[in-house]
Amino acid sequence: MDHRGHPKNPKRRADLPLAELAAGFIAASAEEAPDLAKQPGALKDDGMRELGGVLGRLDVRGKGALDAHERLLARRVLSRLQKPSADGLGMLNKVLDYLDLNMSALIEEDELELCVEIIELFCRAESDNETLTTLELEMLYAVLRHLDKDGNGQLDPLERVALHQGLGNPEAFLADHRAFNPHLRRVLARR
């Protein structure tokens, strides 16, 4: 599947301009959001590719560079990461796979709203701050995997209903998953 989600012209991940997309975002952010630009600017090659993977999901025009509006949307997600790292960005990419509801390989604005809402919920899953640790990203991924009852790698309509209902009462939602979600129990047992 290519960066636009088209299986007829598949591109290998290695052939996508992910590092260039990340470098362009960081350069633009140095002026637009200097605090946010500092941490991703310290990423090594693998981290830059993972960051490019996250950013590529917002490149709805397919230009290989984000415009000002797309960069703003990217910052809504990236500003929630406590310390961007290759591992954390890789986990964020897995989370975004589930939150890409139409499987287009892009996160449209309506999907982004759900993405930000669930990320904000998990920012406080194991800490009292407004940022998302790698552990909290792993917890989020474990919850999404558990909601994916048929294991097809996406949230089908009924699975999305379960997610939206859970977001209505986040404390009970997290408590239920802590008690009954085997994926989440494995994540929590490792810490």
Side-chain angles (χ1 to χ4, degrees):
M1 192 168 296
D2 74 4
H3 75 289
R4 304 275 306 161
H6 300 295
K8 291 182 182 176
N9 288 323
K11 287 185 181 179
R12 295 178 321 133
R13 183 174 170 84
D15 294 336
L16 296 173
L18 301 179
E20 294 86 2
L21 185 60
F25 174 78
I26 292 169
S29 294
E31 183 177 320
E32 298 168 349
D35 290 342
L36 181 64
K38 289 177 189 173
Q39 288 183 342
L43 292 170
K44 304 276 188 246
D45 289 345
D46 55 342
M48 291 294 276
R49 280 189 301 276
E50 292 295 345
L51 176 60
V54 170
L55 298 171
R57 295 169 182 277
L58 298 166
D59 182 17
V60 294
R61 299 168 303 122
K63 299 289 186 185
L66 301 184
D67 66 20
H69 180 68
E70 292 165 338
R71 288 192 305 272
L72 182 64
L73 296 177
R75 285 189 201 103
R76 287 188 67 193
V77 174
L78 294 172
S79 66
R80 296 295 182 182
L81 297 180
Q82 188 174 52
K83 291 182 182 175
S85 67
D87 291 340
L89 290 165
M91 186 59 61
L92 179 58
N93 271 308
K94 289 180 180 182
V95 165
L96 293 176
D97 284 342
Y98 274 110
L99 299 177
D100 177 12
L101 302 177
N102 62 6
M103 300 296 288
S104 67
L106 297 169
I107 301 292
E108 285 89 14
E109 284 195 56
D110 60 328
E111 294 169 326
L112 187 67
E113 293 304 321
L114 173 62
C115 183
V116 171
E117 184 178 352
I118 195 166
I119 284 174
E120 286 174 349
L121 166 66
F122 275 84
C123 283
R124 293 176 290 285
E126 285 293 304
S127 63
D128 291 329
N129 58 39
E130 297 298 318
T131 58
L132 196 63
T133 65
T134 301
L135 173 63
E136 289 165 333
L137 270 170
E138 290 174 2
M139 292 173 66
L140 171 53
Y141 182 63
V143 167
L144 293 171
R145 284 184 60 204
H146 187 69
L147 289 172
D148 180 18
K149 298 297 184 196
D150 58 6
N152 66 353
Q154 69 182 73
L155 295 181
D156 300 323
L158 291 176
E159 295 162 345
R160 288 194 299 268
V161 167
L163 176 59
H164 283 290
Q165 288 173 341
L167 293 175
N169 188 351
E171 293 81 20
F173 180 68
L174 285 174
D176 284 348
H177 276 275
R178 286 178 192 273
F180 302 111
N181 181 336
H183 304 295
L184 183 55
R185 284 193 299 229
R186 280 193 292 277
V187 167
L188 295 174
R190 286 195 322 256
R191 60 178 179 140

